[in-house]
PDB file of all heavy atoms in Angstrom:
ATOM      1  N   PRO A 279      -5.816   9.854  -9.888  1.00  0.00           N
ATOM      2  CA  PRO A 279      -5.573   9.198  -8.605  1.00  0.00           C
ATOM      3  C   PRO A 279      -5.648   7.673  -8.721  1.00  0.00           C
ATOM      4  O   PRO A 279      -4.903   6.964  -8.039  1.00  0.00           O
ATOM      5  CB  PRO A 279      -6.675   9.752  -7.706  1.00  0.00           C
ATOM      6  CG  PRO A 279      -6.956  11.114  -8.273  1.00  0.00           C
ATOM      7  CD  PRO A 279      -6.824  10.920  -9.770  1.00  0.00           C
ATOM      8  N   ASP A 280      -6.519   7.172  -9.591  1.00  0.00           N
ATOM      9  CA  ASP A 280      -6.605   5.713  -9.782  1.00  0.00           C
ATOM     10  C   ASP A 280      -5.326   5.147 -10.389  1.00  0.00           C
ATOM     11  O   ASP A 280      -4.922   4.035 -10.054  1.00  0.00           O
ATOM     12  CB  ASP A 280      -7.798   5.347 -10.659  1.00  0.00           C
ATOM     13  CG  ASP A 280      -9.123   5.498  -9.940  1.00  0.00           C
ATOM     14  OD1 ASP A 280      -9.140   5.448  -8.685  1.00  0.00           O
ATOM     15  OD2 ASP A 280     -10.153   5.658 -10.621  1.00  0.00           O
ATOM     16  N   ASP A 281      -4.676   5.909 -11.287  1.00  0.00           N
ATOM     17  CA  ASP A 281      -3.394   5.480 -11.852  1.00  0.00           C
ATOM     18  C   ASP A 281      -2.352   5.351 -10.753  1.00  0.00           C
ATOM     19  O   ASP A 281      -1.590   4.380 -10.700  1.00  0.00           O
ATOM     20  CB  ASP A 281      -2.877   6.480 -12.897  1.00  0.00           C
ATOM     21  CG  ASP A 281      -3.757   6.600 -14.120  1.00  0.00           C
ATOM     22  OD1 ASP A 281      -4.439   5.620 -14.476  1.00  0.00           O
ATOM     23  OD2 ASP A 281      -3.754   7.701 -14.726  1.00  0.00           O
ATOM     24  N   VAL A 282      -2.325   6.337  -9.879  1.00  0.00           N
ATOM     25  CA  VAL A 282      -1.354   6.335  -8.775  1.00  0.00           C
ATOM     26  C   VAL A 282      -1.661   5.183  -7.831  1.00  0.00           C
ATOM     27  O   VAL A 282      -0.759   4.446  -7.412  1.00  0.00           O
ATOM     28  CB  VAL A 282      -1.371   7.676  -8.015  1.00  0.00           C
ATOM     29  CG1 VAL A 282      -0.384   7.649  -6.851  1.00  0.00           C
ATOM     30  CG2 VAL A 282      -1.070   8.835  -8.967  1.00  0.00           C
ATOM     31  N   ARG A 283      -2.923   5.008  -7.506  1.00  0.00           N
ATOM     32  CA  ARG A 283      -3.340   3.924  -6.607  1.00  0.00           C
ATOM     33  C   ARG A 283      -2.932   2.561  -7.159  1.00  0.00           C
ATOM     34  O   ARG A 283      -2.386   1.720  -6.446  1.00  0.00           O
ATOM     35  CB  ARG A 283      -4.854   3.986  -6.403  1.00  0.00           C
ATOM     36  CG  ARG A 283      -5.395   2.917  -5.509  1.00  0.00           C
ATOM     37  CD  ARG A 283      -6.931   2.973  -5.512  1.00  0.00           C
ATOM     38  NE  ARG A 283      -7.484   1.887  -4.779  1.00  0.00           N
ATOM     39  CZ  ARG A 283      -7.819   1.930  -3.501  1.00  0.00           C
ATOM     40  NH1 ARG A 283      -7.661   3.034  -2.811  1.00  0.00           N
ATOM     41  NH2 ARG A 283      -8.317   0.876  -2.909  1.00  0.00           N
ATOM     42  N   SER A 284      -3.163   2.352  -8.436  1.00  0.00           N
ATOM     43  CA  SER A 284      -2.809   1.084  -9.066  1.00  0.00           C
ATOM     44  C   SER A 284      -1.297   0.850  -9.002  1.00  0.00           C
ATOM     45  O   SER A 284      -0.847  -0.242  -8.638  1.00  0.00           O
ATOM     46  CB  SER A 284      -3.295   1.079 -10.520  1.00  0.00           C
ATOM     47  OG  SER A 284      -2.946  -0.122 -11.146  1.00  0.00           O
ATOM     48  N   PHE A 285      -0.524   1.874  -9.336  1.00  0.00           N
ATOM     49  CA  PHE A 285       0.937   1.766  -9.267  1.00  0.00           C
ATOM     50  C   PHE A 285       1.378   1.458  -7.833  1.00  0.00           C
ATOM     51  O   PHE A 285       2.192   0.569  -7.597  1.00  0.00           O
ATOM     52  CB  PHE A 285       1.595   3.063  -9.754  1.00  0.00           C
ATOM     53  CG  PHE A 285       3.088   3.046  -9.643  1.00  0.00           C
ATOM     54  CD1 PHE A 285       3.863   2.417 -10.607  1.00  0.00           C
ATOM     55  CD2 PHE A 285       3.726   3.644  -8.574  1.00  0.00           C
ATOM     56  CE1 PHE A 285       5.248   2.385 -10.497  1.00  0.00           C
ATOM     57  CE2 PHE A 285       5.107   3.624  -8.458  1.00  0.00           C
ATOM     58  CZ  PHE A 285       5.872   2.986  -9.428  1.00  0.00           C
ATOM     59  N   LEU A 286       0.817   2.191  -6.895  1.00  0.00           N
ATOM     60  CA  LEU A 286       1.166   2.023  -5.483  1.00  0.00           C
ATOM     61  C   LEU A 286       0.866   0.608  -5.006  1.00  0.00           C
ATOM     62  O   LEU A 286       1.721  -0.059  -4.408  1.00  0.00           O
ATOM     63  CB  LEU A 286       0.388   3.045  -4.662  1.00  0.00           C
ATOM     64  CG  LEU A 286       0.558   3.042  -3.164  1.00  0.00           C
ATOM     65  CD1 LEU A 286       1.945   3.534  -2.805  1.00  0.00           C
ATOM     66  CD2 LEU A 286      -0.488   3.928  -2.527  1.00  0.00           C
ATOM     67  N   LEU A 287      -0.332   0.131  -5.289  1.00  0.00           N
ATOM     68  CA  LEU A 287      -0.707  -1.207  -4.825  1.00  0.00           C
ATOM     69  C   LEU A 287       0.071  -2.299  -5.544  1.00  0.00           C
ATOM     70  O   LEU A 287       0.382  -3.336  -4.945  1.00  0.00           O
ATOM     71  CB  LEU A 287      -2.211  -1.412  -4.966  1.00  0.00           C
ATOM     72  CG  LEU A 287      -3.066  -0.538  -4.042  1.00  0.00           C
ATOM     73  CD1 LEU A 287      -4.540  -0.801  -4.272  1.00  0.00           C
ATOM     74  CD2 LEU A 287      -2.694  -0.724  -2.587  1.00  0.00           C
ATOM     75  N   ASP A 288       0.425  -2.081  -6.807  1.00  0.00           N
ATOM     76  CA  ASP A 288       1.285  -3.043  -7.508  1.00  0.00           C
ATOM     77  C   ASP A 288       2.633  -3.154  -6.810  1.00  0.00           C
ATOM     78  O   ASP A 288       3.177  -4.250  -6.662  1.00  0.00           O
ATOM     79  CB  ASP A 288       1.500  -2.641  -8.962  1.00  0.00           C
ATOM     80  CG  ASP A 288       0.285  -2.870  -9.838  1.00  0.00           C
ATOM     81  OD1 ASP A 288      -0.676  -3.551  -9.394  1.00  0.00           O
ATOM     82  OD2 ASP A 288       0.291  -2.353 -10.977  1.00  0.00           O
ATOM     83  N   ARG A 289       3.187  -2.027  -6.378  1.00  0.00           N
ATOM     84  CA  ARG A 289       4.480  -2.026  -5.698  1.00  0.00           C
ATOM     85  C   ARG A 289       4.389  -2.681  -4.326  1.00  0.00           C
ATOM     86  O   ARG A 289       5.359  -3.206  -3.814  1.00  0.00           O
ATOM     87  CB  ARG A 289       5.029  -0.609  -5.530  1.00  0.00           C
ATOM     88  CG  ARG A 289       5.297   0.169  -6.817  1.00  0.00           C
ATOM     89  CD  ARG A 289       6.415  -0.354  -7.637  1.00  0.00           C
ATOM     90  NE  ARG A 289       6.328  -0.966  -8.911  1.00  0.00           N
ATOM     91  CZ  ARG A 289       5.402  -1.052  -9.832  1.00  0.00           C
ATOM     92  NH1 ARG A 289       4.243  -0.561  -9.657  1.00  0.00           N
ATOM     93  NH2 ARG A 289       5.587  -1.662 -10.974  1.00  0.00           N
ATOM     94  N   LEU A 290       3.228  -2.614  -3.729  1.00  0.00           N
ATOM     95  CA  LEU A 290       3.031  -3.155  -2.377  1.00  0.00           C
ATOM     96  C   LEU A 290       2.448  -4.561  -2.369  1.00  0.00           C
ATOM     97  O   LEU A 290       2.167  -5.101  -1.304  1.00  0.00           O
ATOM     98  CB  LEU A 290       2.102  -2.233  -1.579  1.00  0.00           C
ATOM     99  CG  LEU A 290       2.646  -0.858  -1.260  1.00  0.00           C
ATOM    100  CD1 LEU A 290       1.569  -0.015  -0.604  1.00  0.00           C
ATOM    101  CD2 LEU A 290       3.875  -0.952  -0.384  1.00  0.00           C
ATOM    102  N   ASP A 291       2.278  -5.152  -3.520  1.00  0.00           N
ATOM    103  CA  ASP A 291       1.603  -6.444  -3.620  1.00  0.00           C
ATOM    104  C   ASP A 291       2.224  -7.501  -2.705  1.00  0.00           C
ATOM    105  O   ASP A 291       1.505  -8.173  -1.966  1.00  0.00           O
ATOM    106  CB  ASP A 291       1.578  -6.921  -5.068  1.00  0.00           C
ATOM    107  CG  ASP A 291       0.556  -8.016  -5.286  1.00  0.00           C
ATOM    108  OD1 ASP A 291      -0.598  -7.836  -4.841  1.00  0.00           O
ATOM    109  OD2 ASP A 291       0.918  -9.052  -5.880  1.00  0.00           O
ATOM    110  N   ASP A 292       3.528  -7.651  -2.720  1.00  0.00           N
ATOM    111  CA  ASP A 292       4.181  -8.654  -1.865  1.00  0.00           C
ATOM    112  C   ASP A 292       3.955  -8.353  -0.386  1.00  0.00           C
ATOM    113  O   ASP A 292       3.719  -9.264   0.414  1.00  0.00           O
ATOM    114  CB  ASP A 292       5.685  -8.729  -2.151  1.00  0.00           C
ATOM    115  CG  ASP A 292       5.990  -9.369  -3.490  1.00  0.00           C
ATOM    116  OD1 ASP A 292       5.111 -10.063  -4.048  1.00  0.00           O
ATOM    117  OD2 ASP A 292       7.112  -9.163  -3.990  1.00  0.00           O
ATOM    118  N   THR A 293       4.038  -7.072  -0.033  1.00  0.00           N
ATOM    119  CA  THR A 293       3.816  -6.671   1.360  1.00  0.00           C
ATOM    120  C   THR A 293       2.401  -7.007   1.796  1.00  0.00           C
ATOM    121  O   THR A 293       2.176  -7.497   2.907  1.00  0.00           O
ATOM    122  CB  THR A 293       4.074  -5.158   1.519  1.00  0.00           C
ATOM    123  OG1 THR A 293       5.417  -4.878   1.132  1.00  0.00           O
ATOM    124  CG2 THR A 293       3.845  -4.700   2.941  1.00  0.00           C
ATOM    125  N   LEU A 294       1.439  -6.740   0.912  1.00  0.00           N
ATOM    126  CA  LEU A 294       0.048  -7.038   1.233  1.00  0.00           C
ATOM    127  C   LEU A 294      -0.156  -8.536   1.402  1.00  0.00           C
ATOM    128  O   LEU A 294      -0.783  -8.981   2.366  1.00  0.00           O
ATOM    129  CB  LEU A 294      -0.881  -6.492   0.154  1.00  0.00           C
ATOM    130  CG  LEU A 294      -0.892  -4.972  -0.012  1.00  0.00           C
ATOM    131  CD1 LEU A 294      -1.749  -4.577  -1.216  1.00  0.00           C
ATOM    132  CD2 LEU A 294      -1.356  -4.277   1.240  1.00  0.00           C
ATOM    133  N   VAL A 295       0.389  -9.316   0.481  1.00  0.00           N
ATOM    134  CA  VAL A 295       0.256 -10.773   0.555  1.00  0.00           C
ATOM    135  C   VAL A 295       0.915 -11.288   1.833  1.00  0.00           C
ATOM    136  O   VAL A 295       0.324 -12.084   2.565  1.00  0.00           O
ATOM    137  CB  VAL A 295       0.862 -11.444  -0.698  1.00  0.00           C
ATOM    138  CG1 VAL A 295       0.965 -12.944  -0.513  1.00  0.00           C
ATOM    139  CG2 VAL A 295       0.032 -11.113  -1.932  1.00  0.00           C
ATOM    140  N   ASP A 296       2.141 -10.832   2.112  1.00  0.00           N
ATOM    141  CA  ASP A 296       2.857 -11.270   3.320  1.00  0.00           C
ATOM    142  C   ASP A 296       2.090 -10.915   4.594  1.00  0.00           C
ATOM    143  O   ASP A 296       2.146 -11.648   5.579  1.00  0.00           O
ATOM    144  CB  ASP A 296       4.251 -10.652   3.381  1.00  0.00           C
ATOM    145  CG  ASP A 296       5.185 -11.211   2.320  1.00  0.00           C
ATOM    146  OD1 ASP A 296       4.841 -12.234   1.685  1.00  0.00           O
ATOM    147  OD2 ASP A 296       6.261 -10.602   2.104  1.00  0.00           O
ATOM    148  N   GLY A 297       1.387  -9.783   4.569  1.00  0.00           N
ATOM    149  CA  GLY A 297       0.630  -9.351   5.740  1.00  0.00           C
ATOM    150  C   GLY A 297      -0.778  -9.918   5.797  1.00  0.00           C
ATOM    151  O   GLY A 297      -1.534  -9.606   6.713  1.00  0.00           O
ATOM    152  N   GLY A 298      -1.127 -10.730   4.797  1.00  0.00           N
ATOM    153  CA  GLY A 298      -2.452 -11.315   4.765  1.00  0.00           C
ATOM    154  C   GLY A 298      -3.555 -10.297   4.496  1.00  0.00           C
ATOM    155  O   GLY A 298      -4.692 -10.469   4.910  1.00  0.00           O
ATOM    156  N   VAL A 299      -3.179  -9.223   3.784  1.00  0.00           N
ATOM    157  CA  VAL A 299      -4.127  -8.152   3.496  1.00  0.00           C
ATOM    158  C   VAL A 299      -4.632  -8.305   2.074  1.00  0.00           C
ATOM    159  O   VAL A 299      -3.840  -8.384   1.135  1.00  0.00           O
ATOM    160  CB  VAL A 299      -3.460  -6.769   3.674  1.00  0.00           C
ATOM    161  CG1 VAL A 299      -4.420  -5.653   3.299  1.00  0.00           C
ATOM    162  CG2 VAL A 299      -2.938  -6.600   5.088  1.00  0.00           C
ATOM    163  N   ASP A 300      -5.946  -8.342   1.926  1.00  0.00           N
ATOM    164  CA  ASP A 300      -6.556  -8.410   0.602  1.00  0.00           C
ATOM    165  C   ASP A 300      -6.495  -7.030  -0.044  1.00  0.00           C
ATOM    166  O   ASP A 300      -6.876  -6.030   0.573  1.00  0.00           O
ATOM    167  CB  ASP A 300      -8.019  -8.859   0.735  1.00  0.00           C
ATOM    168  CG  ASP A 300      -8.719  -8.886  -0.594  1.00  0.00           C
ATOM    169  OD1 ASP A 300      -8.326  -9.699  -1.459  1.00  0.00           O
ATOM    170  OD2 ASP A 300      -9.664  -8.100  -0.770  1.00  0.00           O
ATOM    171  N   ARG A 301      -6.005  -6.979  -1.253  1.00  0.00           N
ATOM    172  CA  ARG A 301      -5.873  -5.714  -1.978  1.00  0.00           C
ATOM    173  C   ARG A 301      -7.205  -4.966  -2.044  1.00  0.00           C
ATOM    174  O   ARG A 301      -7.245  -3.739  -1.987  1.00  0.00           O
ATOM    175  CB  ARG A 301      -5.329  -6.018  -3.380  1.00  0.00           C
ATOM    176  CG  ARG A 301      -5.009  -4.818  -4.195  1.00  0.00           C
ATOM    177  CD  ARG A 301      -4.410  -5.260  -5.520  1.00  0.00           C
ATOM    178  NE  ARG A 301      -4.206  -4.111  -6.371  1.00  0.00           N
ATOM    179  CZ  ARG A 301      -3.176  -3.959  -7.171  1.00  0.00           C
ATOM    180  NH1 ARG A 301      -2.253  -4.893  -7.242  1.00  0.00           N
ATOM    181  NH2 ARG A 301      -3.051  -2.890  -7.928  1.00  0.00           N
ATOM    182  N   GLY A 302      -8.288  -5.701  -2.153  1.00  0.00           N
ATOM    183  CA  GLY A 302      -9.605  -5.090  -2.214  1.00  0.00           C
ATOM    184  C   GLY A 302     -10.028  -4.407  -0.928  1.00  0.00           C
ATOM    185  O   GLY A 302     -10.950  -3.587  -0.925  1.00  0.00           O
ATOM    186  N   SER A 303      -9.363  -4.721   0.164  1.00  0.00           N
ATOM    187  CA  SER A 303      -9.720  -4.099   1.443  1.00  0.00           C
ATOM    188  C   SER A 303      -9.040  -2.747   1.637  1.00  0.00           C
ATOM    189  O   SER A 303      -9.349  -2.031   2.589  1.00  0.00           O
ATOM    190  CB  SER A 303      -9.359  -5.024   2.607  1.00  0.00           C
ATOM    191  OG  SER A 303      -7.951  -5.104   2.773  1.00  0.00           O
ATOM    192  N   ILE A 304      -8.132  -2.391   0.753  1.00  0.00           N
ATOM    193  CA  ILE A 304      -7.439  -1.105   0.835  1.00  0.00           C
ATOM    194  C   ILE A 304      -8.375  -0.039   0.261  1.00  0.00           C
ATOM    195  O   ILE A 304      -8.740  -0.085  -0.904  1.00  0.00           O
ATOM    196  CB  ILE A 304      -6.114  -1.123   0.043  1.00  0.00           C
ATOM    197  CG1 ILE A 304      -5.197  -2.245   0.521  1.00  0.00           C
ATOM    198  CG2 ILE A 304      -5.430   0.233   0.104  1.00  0.00           C
ATOM    199  CD1 ILE A 304      -4.694  -2.101   1.919  1.00  0.00           C
ATOM    200  N   ASP A 305      -8.774   0.917   1.105  1.00  0.00           N
ATOM    201  CA  ASP A 305      -9.640   1.988   0.621  1.00  0.00           C
ATOM    202  C   ASP A 305      -8.948   3.338   0.791  1.00  0.00           C
ATOM    203  O   ASP A 305      -7.787   3.394   1.212  1.00  0.00           O
ATOM    204  CB  ASP A 305     -11.013   1.954   1.298  1.00  0.00           C
ATOM    205  CG  ASP A 305     -10.955   2.207   2.794  1.00  0.00           C
ATOM    206  OD1 ASP A 305      -9.973   2.815   3.291  1.00  0.00           O
ATOM    207  OD2 ASP A 305     -11.901   1.814   3.482  1.00  0.00           O
ATOM    208  N   ASP A 306      -9.647   4.414   0.476  1.00  0.00           N
ATOM    209  CA  ASP A 306      -9.052   5.747   0.512  1.00  0.00           C
ATOM    210  C   ASP A 306      -8.642   6.194   1.901  1.00  0.00           C
ATOM    211  O   ASP A 306      -7.858   7.127   2.047  1.00  0.00           O
ATOM    212  CB  ASP A 306     -10.002   6.779  -0.097  1.00  0.00           C
ATOM    213  CG  ASP A 306     -10.023   6.730  -1.609  1.00  0.00           C
ATOM    214  OD1 ASP A 306      -9.144   6.072  -2.205  1.00  0.00           O
ATOM    215  OD2 ASP A 306     -10.912   7.367  -2.210  1.00  0.00           O
ATOM    216  N   ARG A 307      -9.152   5.549   2.940  1.00  0.00           N
ATOM    217  CA  ARG A 307      -8.788   5.910   4.317  1.00  0.00           C
ATOM    218  C   ARG A 307      -7.650   5.071   4.866  1.00  0.00           C
ATOM    219  O   ARG A 307      -7.167   5.324   5.972  1.00  0.00           O
ATOM    220  CB  ARG A 307     -10.006   5.789   5.218  1.00  0.00           C
ATOM    221  CG  ARG A 307     -11.131   6.736   4.855  1.00  0.00           C
ATOM    222  CD  ARG A 307     -12.332   6.472   5.734  1.00  0.00           C
ATOM    223  NE  ARG A 307     -12.620   5.033   5.750  1.00  0.00           N
ATOM    224  CZ  ARG A 307     -13.672   4.457   5.203  1.00  0.00           C
ATOM    225  NH1 ARG A 307     -14.564   5.175   4.600  1.00  0.00           N
ATOM    226  NH2 ARG A 307     -13.855   3.163   5.264  1.00  0.00           N
ATOM    227  N   THR A 308      -7.215   4.072   4.123  1.00  0.00           N
ATOM    228  CA  THR A 308      -6.130   3.210   4.603  1.00  0.00           C
ATOM    229  C   THR A 308      -4.848   4.022   4.739  1.00  0.00           C
ATOM    230  O   THR A 308      -4.440   4.716   3.814  1.00  0.00           O
ATOM    231  CB  THR A 308      -5.898   2.042   3.624  1.00  0.00           C
ATOM    232  OG1 THR A 308      -7.102   1.278   3.524  1.00  0.00           O
ATOM    233  CG2 THR A 308      -4.756   1.147   4.085  1.00  0.00           C
ATOM    234  N   ASP A 309      -4.240   3.930   5.890  1.00  0.00           N
ATOM    235  CA  ASP A 309      -2.969   4.598   6.164  1.00  0.00           C
ATOM    236  C   ASP A 309      -1.891   3.516   6.209  1.00  0.00           C
ATOM    237  O   ASP A 309      -1.866   2.705   7.127  1.00  0.00           O
ATOM    238  CB  ASP A 309      -3.049   5.354   7.488  1.00  0.00           C
ATOM    239  CG  ASP A 309      -1.806   6.172   7.778  1.00  0.00           C
ATOM    240  OD1 ASP A 309      -0.682   5.653   7.581  1.00  0.00           O
ATOM    241  OD2 ASP A 309      -1.954   7.322   8.216  1.00  0.00           O
ATOM    242  N   LEU A 310      -1.041   3.510   5.210  1.00  0.00           N
ATOM    243  CA  LEU A 310      -0.052   2.437   5.083  1.00  0.00           C
ATOM    244  C   LEU A 310       0.940   2.410   6.242  1.00  0.00           C
ATOM    245  O   LEU A 310       1.427   1.343   6.600  1.00  0.00           O
ATOM    246  CB  LEU A 310       0.677   2.554   3.751  1.00  0.00           C
ATOM    247  CG  LEU A 310      -0.218   2.385   2.527  1.00  0.00           C
ATOM    248  CD1 LEU A 310       0.570   2.660   1.251  1.00  0.00           C
ATOM    249  CD2 LEU A 310      -0.833   1.006   2.492  1.00  0.00           C
ATOM    250  N   LEU A 311       1.203   3.549   6.843  1.00  0.00           N
ATOM    251  CA  LEU A 311       2.103   3.599   7.992  1.00  0.00           C
ATOM    252  C   LEU A 311       1.366   3.154   9.259  1.00  0.00           C
ATOM    253  O   LEU A 311       1.803   2.235   9.946  1.00  0.00           O
ATOM    254  CB  LEU A 311       2.676   5.001   8.163  1.00  0.00           C
ATOM    255  CG  LEU A 311       3.649   5.197   9.314  1.00  0.00           C
ATOM    256  CD1 LEU A 311       4.892   4.330   9.121  1.00  0.00           C
ATOM    257  CD2 LEU A 311       4.048   6.663   9.432  1.00  0.00           C
ATOM    258  N   GLU A 312       0.248   3.785   9.541  1.00  0.00           N
ATOM    259  CA  GLU A 312      -0.517   3.465  10.761  1.00  0.00           C
ATOM    260  C   GLU A 312      -1.015   2.032  10.770  1.00  0.00           C
ATOM    261  O   GLU A 312      -1.108   1.417  11.825  1.00  0.00           O
ATOM    262  CB  GLU A 312      -1.698   4.420  10.907  1.00  0.00           C
ATOM    263  CG  GLU A 312      -1.279   5.829  11.137  1.00  0.00           C
ATOM    264  CD  GLU A 312      -1.706   6.353  12.479  1.00  0.00           C
ATOM    265  OE1 GLU A 312      -2.622   5.784  13.094  1.00  0.00           O
ATOM    266  OE2 GLU A 312      -1.095   7.336  12.900  1.00  0.00           O
ATOM    267  N   ASP A 313      -1.370   1.507   9.606  1.00  0.00           N
ATOM    268  CA  ASP A 313      -1.883   0.141   9.527  1.00  0.00           C
ATOM    269  C   ASP A 313      -0.760  -0.899   9.471  1.00  0.00           C
ATOM    270  O   ASP A 313      -1.022  -2.089   9.311  1.00  0.00           O
ATOM    271  CB  ASP A 313      -2.817  -0.011   8.328  1.00  0.00           C
ATOM    272  CG  ASP A 313      -4.105   0.784   8.495  1.00  0.00           C
ATOM    273  OD1 ASP A 313      -4.457   1.110   9.650  1.00  0.00           O
ATOM    274  OD2 ASP A 313      -4.757   1.095   7.481  1.00  0.00           O
ATOM    275  N   GLY A 314       0.482  -0.435   9.593  1.00  0.00           N
ATOM    276  CA  GLY A 314       1.619  -1.341   9.688  1.00  0.00           C
ATOM    277  C   GLY A 314       2.048  -1.992   8.382  1.00  0.00           C
ATOM    278  O   GLY A 314       2.793  -2.968   8.390  1.00  0.00           O
ATOM    279  N   LEU A 315       1.623  -1.439   7.254  1.00  0.00           N
ATOM    280  CA  LEU A 315       2.011  -2.018   5.967  1.00  0.00           C
ATOM    281  C   LEU A 315       3.358  -1.503   5.489  1.00  0.00           C
ATOM    282  O   LEU A 315       4.005  -2.144   4.666  1.00  0.00           O
ATOM    283  CB  LEU A 315       0.924  -1.748   4.925  1.00  0.00           C
ATOM    284  CG  LEU A 315      -0.423  -2.389   5.268  1.00  0.00           C
ATOM    285  CD1 LEU A 315      -1.501  -1.912   4.318  1.00  0.00           C
ATOM    286  CD2 LEU A 315      -0.307  -3.902   5.238  1.00  0.00           C
ATOM    287  N   LEU A 316       3.769  -0.345   5.977  1.00  0.00           N
ATOM    288  CA  LEU A 316       5.085   0.209   5.663  1.00  0.00           C
ATOM    289  C   LEU A 316       5.716   0.768   6.930  1.00  0.00           C
ATOM    290  O   LEU A 316       5.011   1.290   7.792  1.00  0.00           O
ATOM    291  CB  LEU A 316       4.973   1.357   4.645  1.00  0.00           C
ATOM    292  CG  LEU A 316       4.685   1.009   3.210  1.00  0.00           C
ATOM    293  CD1 LEU A 316       4.558   2.281   2.388  1.00  0.00           C
ATOM    294  CD2 LEU A 316       5.761   0.118   2.633  1.00  0.00           C
ATOM    295  N   ASP A 317       7.038   0.689   6.990  1.00  0.00           N
ATOM    296  CA  ASP A 317       7.763   1.363   8.061  1.00  0.00           C
ATOM    297  C   ASP A 317       8.383   2.629   7.468  1.00  0.00           C
ATOM    298  O   ASP A 317       8.177   2.938   6.294  1.00  0.00           O
ATOM    299  CB  ASP A 317       8.810   0.441   8.691  1.00  0.00           C
ATOM    300  CG  ASP A 317       9.844  -0.061   7.696  1.00  0.00           C
ATOM    301  OD1 ASP A 317       9.974   0.499   6.582  1.00  0.00           O
ATOM    302  OD2 ASP A 317      10.538  -1.039   8.026  1.00  0.00           O
ATOM    303  N   SER A 318       9.142   3.357   8.263  1.00  0.00           N
ATOM    304  CA  SER A 318       9.686   4.630   7.782  1.00  0.00           C
ATOM    305  C   SER A 318      10.608   4.446   6.578  1.00  0.00           C
ATOM    306  O   SER A 318      10.592   5.259   5.647  1.00  0.00           O
ATOM    307  CB  SER A 318      10.402   5.378   8.911  1.00  0.00           C
ATOM    308  OG  SER A 318      11.424   4.580   9.459  1.00  0.00           O
ATOM    309  N   MET A 319      11.400   3.387   6.557  1.00  0.00           N
ATOM    310  CA  MET A 319      12.273   3.142   5.400  1.00  0.00           C
ATOM    311  C   MET A 319      11.438   2.786   4.179  1.00  0.00           C
ATOM    312  O   MET A 319      11.737   3.213   3.069  1.00  0.00           O
ATOM    313  CB  MET A 319      13.277   2.030   5.693  1.00  0.00           C
ATOM    314  CG  MET A 319      14.240   1.780   4.547  1.00  0.00           C
ATOM    315  SD  MET A 319      15.141   3.244   3.997  1.00  0.00           S
ATOM    316  CE  MET A 319      16.390   3.330   5.223  1.00  0.00           C
ATOM    317  N   GLY A 320      10.385   2.037   4.378  1.00  0.00           N
ATOM    318  CA  GLY A 320       9.496   1.696   3.273  1.00  0.00           C
ATOM    319  C   GLY A 320       8.842   2.927   2.673  1.00  0.00           C
ATOM    320  O   GLY A 320       8.642   3.004   1.454  1.00  0.00           O
ATOM    321  N   ILE A 321       8.516   3.902   3.517  1.00  0.00           N
ATOM    322  CA  ILE A 321       7.934   5.153   3.024  1.00  0.00           C
ATOM    323  C   ILE A 321       8.934   5.879   2.131  1.00  0.00           C
ATOM    324  O   ILE A 321       8.589   6.325   1.031  1.00  0.00           O
ATOM    325  CB  ILE A 321       7.499   6.055   4.191  1.00  0.00           C
ATOM    326  CG1 ILE A 321       6.304   5.444   4.897  1.00  0.00           C
ATOM    327  CG2 ILE A 321       7.168   7.461   3.695  1.00  0.00           C
ATOM    328  CD1 ILE A 321       5.937   6.134   6.187  1.00  0.00           C
ATOM    329  N   VAL A 322      10.163   5.994   2.592  1.00  0.00           N
ATOM    330  CA  VAL A 322      11.198   6.677   1.813  1.00  0.00           C
ATOM    331  C   VAL A 322      11.376   5.992   0.459  1.00  0.00           C
ATOM    332  O   VAL A 322      11.436   6.652  -0.587  1.00  0.00           O
ATOM    333  CB  VAL A 322      12.530   6.729   2.593  1.00  0.00           C
ATOM    334  CG1 VAL A 322      13.667   7.235   1.724  1.00  0.00           C
ATOM    335  CG2 VAL A 322      12.370   7.584   3.840  1.00  0.00           C
ATOM    336  N   GLN A 323      11.448   4.677   0.473  1.00  0.00           N
ATOM    337  CA  GLN A 323      11.614   3.937  -0.780  1.00  0.00           C
ATOM    338  C   GLN A 323      10.413   4.118  -1.703  1.00  0.00           C
ATOM    339  O   GLN A 323      10.569   4.311  -2.911  1.00  0.00           O
ATOM    340  CB  GLN A 323      11.840   2.456  -0.490  1.00  0.00           C
ATOM    341  CG  GLN A 323      13.158   2.181   0.181  1.00  0.00           C
ATOM    342  CD  GLN A 323      13.282   0.756   0.688  1.00  0.00           C
ATOM    343  OE1 GLN A 323      12.287   0.076   0.936  1.00  0.00           O
ATOM    344  NE2 GLN A 323      14.521   0.307   0.852  1.00  0.00           N
ATOM    345  N   LEU A 324       9.225   4.084  -1.134  1.00  0.00           N
ATOM    346  CA  LEU A 324       8.019   4.235  -1.942  1.00  0.00           C
ATOM    347  C   LEU A 324       7.928   5.641  -2.536  1.00  0.00           C
ATOM    348  O   LEU A 324       7.584   5.802  -3.707  1.00  0.00           O
ATOM    349  CB  LEU A 324       6.781   3.933  -1.111  1.00  0.00           C
ATOM    350  CG  LEU A 324       5.479   3.900  -1.891  1.00  0.00           C
ATOM    351  CD1 LEU A 324       5.522   2.791  -2.953  1.00  0.00           C
ATOM    352  CD2 LEU A 324       4.312   3.677  -0.958  1.00  0.00           C
TER     353      LEU A 324
END
């Protein structure tokens, strides 16, 4: 799961930076859709 998490957060790095979100604040309960980090098209692409 850590491998997947690292890959996922690497892909989202620009989105996190643009949203002012610190990568360290992303925990196992973070919902990328509900927290507004991805939209439906972003989910499909991811």
